[in-house]
mmCIF file of all heavy atoms in Angstrom:
data_model
loop_
_atom_site.group_PDB
_atom_site.id
_atom_site.type_symbol
_atom_site.label_atom_id
_atom_site.label_comp_id
_atom_site.label_asym_id
_atom_site.label_seq_id
_atom_site.Cartn_x
_atom_site.Cartn_y
_atom_site.Cartn_z
ATOM 1 N N THR B 19 -12.054 -3.441 0.912
ATOM 2 C CA THR B 19 -10.851 -3.368 0.074
ATOM 3 C C THR B 19 -9.679 -2.826 0.865
ATOM 4 O O THR B 19 -8.555 -3.337 0.780
ATOM 5 C CB THR B 19 -11.115 -2.478 -1.153
ATOM 6 O OG1 THR B 19 -12.184 -3.030 -1.921
ATOM 7 C CG2 THR B 19 -9.862 -2.374 -2.019
ATOM 8 N N LEU B 20 -9.915 -1.780 1.663
ATOM 9 C CA LEU B 20 -8.856 -1.205 2.481
ATOM 10 C C LEU B 20 -8.343 -2.226 3.493
ATOM 11 O O LEU B 20 -7.128 -2.340 3.715
ATOM 12 C CB LEU B 20 -9.361 0.050 3.193
ATOM 13 C CG LEU B 20 -8.351 0.760 4.110
ATOM 14 C CD1 LEU B 20 -7.131 1.204 3.326
ATOM 15 C CD2 LEU B 20 -9.008 1.952 4.803
ATOM 16 N N ARG B 21 -9.247 -2.988 4.114
ATOM 17 C CA ARG B 21 -8.835 -4.003 5.095
ATOM 18 C C ARG B 21 -7.996 -5.091 4.431
ATOM 19 O O ARG B 21 -6.999 -5.553 5.004
ATOM 20 C CB ARG B 21 -10.066 -4.617 5.761
ATOM 21 C CG ARG B 21 -10.844 -3.645 6.650
ATOM 22 C CD ARG B 21 -11.904 -4.373 7.436
ATOM 23 N NE ARG B 21 -12.704 -3.458 8.226
ATOM 24 C CZ ARG B 21 -13.912 -3.002 7.855
ATOM 25 N NH1 ARG B 21 -14.443 -3.395 6.701
ATOM 26 N NH2 ARG B 21 -14.571 -2.169 8.632
ATOM 27 N N VAL B 22 -8.385 -5.514 3.222
ATOM 28 C CA VAL B 22 -7.619 -6.525 2.490
ATOM 29 C C VAL B 22 -6.227 -5.998 2.171
ATOM 30 O O VAL B 22 -5.217 -6.692 2.348
ATOM 31 C CB VAL B 22 -8.360 -6.934 1.199
ATOM 32 C CG1 VAL B 22 -7.453 -7.792 0.309
ATOM 33 C CG2 VAL B 22 -9.640 -7.687 1.524
ATOM 34 N N TYR B 23 -6.138 -4.756 1.687
ATOM 35 C CA TYR B 23 -4.842 -4.160 1.363
ATOM 36 C C TYR B 23 -3.961 -4.063 2.600
ATOM 37 O O TYR B 23 -2.742 -4.275 2.524
ATOM 38 C CB TYR B 23 -5.035 -2.773 0.750
ATOM 39 C CG TYR B 23 -5.453 -2.769 -0.699
ATOM 40 C CD1 TYR B 23 -5.823 -3.953 -1.341
ATOM 41 C CD2 TYR B 23 -5.493 -1.599 -1.433
ATOM 42 C CE1 TYR B 23 -6.216 -3.949 -2.669
ATOM 43 C CE2 TYR B 23 -5.883 -1.587 -2.770
ATOM 44 C CZ TYR B 23 -6.247 -2.767 -3.369
ATOM 45 O OH TYR B 23 -6.630 -2.766 -4.681
ATOM 46 N N GLU B 24 -4.584 -3.745 3.746
ATOM 47 C CA GLU B 24 -3.803 -3.646 4.977
ATOM 48 C C GLU B 24 -3.266 -5.021 5.391
ATOM 49 O O GLU B 24 -2.105 -5.151 5.796
ATOM 50 C CB GLU B 24 -4.654 -3.051 6.098
ATOM 51 C CG GLU B 24 -3.856 -2.746 7.363
ATOM 52 C CD GLU B 24 -4.701 -2.146 8.454
ATOM 53 O OE1 GLU B 24 -5.941 -2.218 8.370
ATOM 54 O OE2 GLU B 24 -4.123 -1.586 9.414
ATOM 55 N N ARG B 25 -4.088 -6.071 5.270
ATOM 56 C CA ARG B 25 -3.635 -7.423 5.611
ATOM 57 C C ARG B 25 -2.513 -7.876 4.682
ATOM 58 O O ARG B 25 -1.586 -8.579 5.094
ATOM 59 C CB ARG B 25 -4.807 -8.409 5.537
ATOM 60 C CG ARG B 25 -5.821 -8.255 6.677
ATOM 61 C CD ARG B 25 -6.720 -9.467 6.773
ATOM 62 N NE ARG B 25 -7.532 -9.638 5.581
ATOM 63 C CZ ARG B 25 -8.768 -9.143 5.436
ATOM 64 N NH1 ARG B 25 -9.324 -8.427 6.419
ATOM 65 N NH2 ARG B 25 -9.458 -9.349 4.339
ATOM 66 N N GLN B 26 -2.593 -7.482 3.413
ATOM 67 C CA GLN B 26 -1.558 -7.872 2.447
ATOM 68 C C GLN B 26 -0.295 -7.032 2.575
ATOM 69 O O GLN B 26 0.715 -7.333 1.946
ATOM 70 C CB GLN B 26 -2.114 -7.756 1.020
ATOM 71 C CG GLN B 26 -3.182 -8.774 0.691
ATOM 72 C CD GLN B 26 -3.743 -8.566 -0.706
ATOM 73 O OE1 GLN B 26 -3.817 -7.452 -1.220
ATOM 74 N NE2 GLN B 26 -4.142 -9.657 -1.343
ATOM 75 N N GLY B 27 -0.365 -5.978 3.360
ATOM 76 C CA GLY B 27 0.792 -5.107 3.498
ATOM 77 C C GLY B 27 0.905 -4.075 2.398
ATOM 78 O O GLY B 27 1.922 -3.380 2.295
ATOM 79 N N TRP B 28 -0.133 -3.938 1.577
ATOM 80 C CA TRP B 28 -0.102 -2.956 0.498
ATOM 81 C C TRP B 28 -0.379 -1.549 0.994
ATOM 82 O O TRP B 28 -0.126 -0.574 0.283
ATOM 83 C CB TRP B 28 -1.113 -3.325 -0.587
ATOM 84 C CG TRP B 28 -0.719 -4.531 -1.377
ATOM 85 C CD1 TRP B 28 0.398 -5.311 -1.186
ATOM 86 C CD2 TRP B 28 -1.419 -5.104 -2.470
ATOM 87 N NE1 TRP B 28 0.421 -6.332 -2.094
ATOM 88 C CE2 TRP B 28 -0.686 -6.231 -2.894
ATOM 89 C CE3 TRP B 28 -2.604 -4.790 -3.123
ATOM 90 C CZ2 TRP B 28 -1.079 -7.042 -3.948
ATOM 91 C CZ3 TRP B 28 -3.014 -5.597 -4.181
ATOM 92 C CH2 TRP B 28 -2.254 -6.697 -4.586
ATOM 93 N N THR B 29 -0.917 -1.436 2.199
ATOM 94 C CA THR B 29 -1.127 -0.124 2.794
ATOM 95 C C THR B 29 -0.903 -0.238 4.297
ATOM 96 O O THR B 29 -1.034 -1.318 4.875
ATOM 97 C CB THR B 29 -2.550 0.408 2.514
ATOM 98 O OG1 THR B 29 -2.655 1.748 3.002
ATOM 99 C CG2 THR B 29 -3.603 -0.448 3.207
ATOM 100 N N ARG B 30 -0.545 0.870 4.910
ATOM 101 C CA ARG B 30 -0.432 0.912 6.367
ATOM 102 C C ARG B 30 -1.163 2.144 6.855
ATOM 103 O O ARG B 30 -1.169 3.188 6.198
ATOM 104 C CB ARG B 30 1.029 0.924 6.821
ATOM 105 C CG ARG B 30 1.844 2.101 6.345
ATOM 106 C CD ARG B 30 3.300 1.963 6.747
ATOM 107 N NE ARG B 30 4.105 3.089 6.292
ATOM 108 C CZ ARG B 30 4.269 4.213 6.976
ATOM 109 N NH1 ARG B 30 3.680 4.352 8.158
ATOM 110 N NH2 ARG B 30 5.007 5.191 6.503
ATOM 111 N N ILE B 31 -1.827 2.006 7.986
ATOM 112 C CA ILE B 31 -2.626 3.099 8.526
ATOM 113 C C ILE B 31 -1.888 3.729 9.694
ATOM 114 O O ILE B 31 -1.476 3.046 10.630
ATOM 115 C CB ILE B 31 -4.013 2.587 8.968
ATOM 116 C CG1 ILE B 31 -4.770 2.026 7.755
ATOM 117 C CG2 ILE B 31 -4.817 3.712 9.610
ATOM 118 C CD1 ILE B 31 -6.130 1.461 8.078
ATOM 119 N N ASN B 32 -1.706 5.032 9.597
ATOM 120 C CA ASN B 32 -0.974 5.782 10.620
ATOM 121 C C ASN B 32 -1.709 7.092 10.884
ATOM 122 O O ASN B 32 -1.896 7.903 9.976
ATOM 123 C CB ASN B 32 0.455 6.048 10.147
ATOM 124 C CG ASN B 32 1.282 6.781 11.182
ATOM 125 O OD1 ASN B 32 1.067 6.637 12.383
ATOM 126 N ND2 ASN B 32 2.243 7.577 10.728
ATOM 127 N N ARG B 33 -2.172 7.263 12.140
ATOM 128 C CA ARG B 33 -2.861 8.489 12.547
ATOM 129 C C ARG B 33 -4.047 8.812 11.637
ATOM 130 O O ARG B 33 -4.258 9.957 11.221
ATOM 131 C CB ARG B 33 -1.889 9.663 12.583
ATOM 132 C CG ARG B 33 -0.769 9.502 13.603
ATOM 133 C CD ARG B 33 0.145 10.702 13.641
ATOM 134 N NE ARG B 33 1.208 10.526 14.619
ATOM 135 C CZ ARG B 33 2.155 11.416 14.860
ATOM 136 N NH1 ARG B 33 2.168 12.570 14.180
ATOM 137 N NH2 ARG B 33 3.096 11.188 15.758
ATOM 138 N N GLY B 34 -4.801 7.789 11.308
ATOM 139 C CA GLY B 34 -6.019 7.980 10.525
ATOM 140 C C GLY B 34 -5.796 8.134 9.036
ATOM 141 O O GLY B 34 -6.755 8.391 8.292
ATOM 142 N N ARG B 35 -4.550 7.956 8.572
ATOM 143 C CA ARG B 35 -4.257 8.073 7.139
ATOM 144 C C ARG B 35 -3.766 6.728 6.613
ATOM 145 O O ARG B 35 -2.947 6.055 7.248
ATOM 146 C CB ARG B 35 -3.186 9.139 6.884
ATOM 147 C CG ARG B 35 -3.479 10.489 7.488
ATOM 148 C CD ARG B 35 -4.669 11.167 6.846
ATOM 149 N NE ARG B 35 -4.369 11.652 5.518
ATOM 150 C CZ ARG B 35 -5.265 12.245 4.728
ATOM 151 N NH1 ARG B 35 -6.519 12.395 5.142
ATOM 152 N NH2 ARG B 35 -4.938 12.664 3.534
ATOM 153 N N ALA B 36 -4.296 6.322 5.470
ATOM 154 C CA ALA B 36 -3.848 5.104 4.798
ATOM 155 C C ALA B 36 -2.747 5.489 3.811
ATOM 156 O O ALA B 36 -2.968 6.303 2.905
ATOM 157 C CB ALA B 36 -5.006 4.426 4.064
ATOM 158 N N LEU B 37 -1.557 4.923 3.994
ATOM 159 C CA LEU B 37 -0.382 5.298 3.213
ATOM 160 C C LEU B 37 -0.012 4.176 2.253
ATOM 161 O O LEU B 37 0.122 3.017 2.655
ATOM 162 C CB LEU B 37 0.787 5.613 4.138
ATOM 163 C CG LEU B 37 0.493 6.579 5.294
ATOM 164 C CD1 LEU B 37 1.719 6.752 6.170
ATOM 165 C CD2 LEU B 37 0.011 7.925 4.758
ATOM 166 N N MET B 38 0.166 4.521 0.990
ATOM 167 C CA MET B 38 0.577 3.551 -0.031
ATOM 168 C C MET B 38 1.656 4.177 -0.903
ATOM 169 O O MET B 38 1.553 5.343 -1.298
ATOM 170 C CB MET B 38 -0.607 3.134 -0.908
ATOM 171 C CG MET B 38 -1.692 2.361 -0.202
ATOM 172 S SD MET B 38 -3.009 1.844 -1.343
ATOM 173 C CE MET B 38 -2.116 0.640 -2.332
ATOM 174 N N GLU B 39 2.677 3.396 -1.210
ATOM 175 C CA GLU B 39 3.736 3.841 -2.117
ATOM 176 C C GLU B 39 3.918 2.790 -3.204
ATOM 177 O O GLU B 39 4.187 1.625 -2.911
ATOM 178 C CB GLU B 39 5.044 4.058 -1.371
ATOM 179 C CG GLU B 39 6.131 4.662 -2.244
ATOM 180 C CD GLU B 39 7.368 5.055 -1.458
ATOM 181 O OE1 GLU B 39 7.406 4.754 -0.247
ATOM 182 O OE2 GLU B 39 8.285 5.646 -2.052
ATOM 183 N N LEU B 40 3.760 3.203 -4.447
ATOM 184 C CA LEU B 40 3.877 2.299 -5.583
ATOM 185 C C LEU B 40 5.016 2.772 -6.477
ATOM 186 O O LEU B 40 5.155 3.973 -6.742
ATOM 187 C CB LEU B 40 2.580 2.255 -6.399
ATOM 188 C CG LEU B 40 1.321 1.729 -5.712
ATOM 189 C CD1 LEU B 40 0.621 2.848 -4.950
ATOM 190 C CD2 LEU B 40 0.355 1.126 -6.724
ATOM 191 N N ARG B 41 5.815 1.803 -6.945
ATOM 192 C CA ARG B 41 6.888 2.107 -7.888
ATOM 193 C C ARG B 41 6.853 1.088 -9.021
ATOM 194 O O ARG B 41 6.679 -0.117 -8.780
ATOM 195 C CB ARG B 41 8.258 2.075 -7.205
ATOM 196 C CG ARG B 41 8.430 3.156 -6.150
ATOM 197 C CD ARG B 41 9.838 3.171 -5.567
ATOM 198 N NE ARG B 41 9.984 4.187 -4.547
ATOM 199 C CZ ARG B 41 10.259 5.462 -4.809
ATOM 200 N NH1 ARG B 41 10.429 5.852 -6.064
ATOM 201 N NH2 ARG B 41 10.379 6.336 -3.825
ATOM 202 N N LEU B 42 7.021 1.585 -10.241
ATOM 203 C CA LEU B 42 7.021 0.726 -11.424
ATOM 204 C C LEU B 42 8.317 0.927 -12.185
ATOM 205 O O LEU B 42 8.680 2.062 -12.507
ATOM 206 C CB LEU B 42 5.827 1.064 -12.328
ATOM 207 C CG LEU B 42 5.759 0.331 -13.670
ATOM 208 C CD1 LEU B 42 5.565 -1.173 -13.458
ATOM 209 C CD2 LEU B 42 4.637 0.898 -14.528
ATOM 210 N N GLN B 43 9.012 -0.168 -12.463
ATOM 211 C CA GLN B 43 10.247 -0.094 -13.235
ATOM 212 C C GLN B 43 10.495 -1.435 -13.901
ATOM 213 O O GLN B 43 10.448 -2.484 -13.245
ATOM 214 C CB GLN B 43 11.431 0.280 -12.346
ATOM 215 C CG GLN B 43 12.703 0.590 -13.124
ATOM 216 C CD GLN B 43 13.779 1.191 -12.242
ATOM 217 O OE1 GLN B 43 13.729 1.097 -11.022
ATOM 218 N NE2 GLN B 43 14.772 1.831 -12.845
ATOM 219 N N HIS B 44 10.716 -1.408 -15.219
ATOM 220 C CA HIS B 44 11.006 -2.618 -16.000
ATOM 221 C C HIS B 44 9.938 -3.698 -15.811
ATOM 222 O O HIS B 44 10.229 -4.888 -15.727
ATOM 223 C CB HIS B 44 12.379 -3.194 -15.630
ATOM 224 C CG HIS B 44 13.500 -2.212 -15.765
ATOM 225 N ND1 HIS B 44 13.720 -1.471 -16.908
ATOM 226 C CD2 HIS B 44 14.458 -1.831 -14.874
ATOM 227 C CE1 HIS B 44 14.772 -0.687 -16.735
ATOM 228 N NE2 HIS B 44 15.230 -0.877 -15.511
ATOM 229 N N GLY B 45 8.677 -3.268 -15.719
ATOM 230 C CA GLY B 45 7.593 -4.230 -15.598
ATOM 231 C C GLY B 45 7.414 -4.809 -14.212
ATOM 232 O O GLY B 45 6.590 -5.706 -14.018
ATOM 233 N N ILE B 46 8.177 -4.332 -13.225
ATOM 234 C CA ILE B 46 8.050 -4.789 -11.844
ATOM 235 C C ILE B 46 7.360 -3.697 -11.033
ATOM 236 O O ILE B 46 7.824 -2.558 -10.979
ATOM 237 C CB ILE B 46 9.418 -5.108 -11.209
ATOM 238 C CG1 ILE B 46 10.150 -6.182 -12.037
ATOM 239 C CG2 ILE B 46 9.242 -5.572 -9.773
ATOM 240 C CD1 ILE B 46 9.448 -7.525 -12.067
ATOM 241 N N LEU B 47 6.234 -4.054 -10.405
ATOM 242 C CA LEU B 47 5.491 -3.124 -9.581
ATOM 243 C C LEU B 47 5.774 -3.418 -8.113
ATOM 244 O O LEU B 47 5.601 -4.555 -7.656
ATOM 245 C CB LEU B 47 3.991 -3.249 -9.855
ATOM 246 C CG LEU B 47 3.068 -2.331 -9.043
ATOM 247 C CD1 LEU B 47 3.335 -0.864 -9.393
ATOM 248 C CD2 LEU B 47 1.613 -2.681 -9.302
ATOM 249 N N THR B 48 6.231 -2.414 -7.387
ATOM 250 C CA THR B 48 6.504 -2.546 -5.958
ATOM 251 C C THR B 48 5.460 -1.755 -5.184
ATOM 252 O O THR B 48 5.303 -0.553 -5.402
ATOM 253 C CB THR B 48 7.910 -2.026 -5.614
ATOM 254 O OG1 THR B 48 8.878 -2.717 -6.402
ATOM 255 C CG2 THR B 48 8.218 -2.247 -4.140
#
């Protein structure tokens, strides 16, 4: 799952940490 998210750009791995930022507004999820 982590590898799929990384390929999709939903997460990025930096110094051994997987970083994700999610924002929801007016029904749009970023």
Side-chain angles (χ1 to χ4, degrees):
T19 300
L20 179 60
R21 293 189 183 99
V22 170
Y23 282 9
E24 188 179 15
R25 288 196 297 267
Q26 291 177 329
W28 289 2
T29 186
R30 61 185 180 87
I31 298 178
N32 182 30
R33 297 182 180 180
R35 307 293 287 178
L37 311 177
M38 294 183 68
E39 186 172 6
L40 297 86
R41 295 185 181 276
L42 175 65
Q43 189 170 18
H44 305 309
I46 302 296
L47 179 64
T48 304

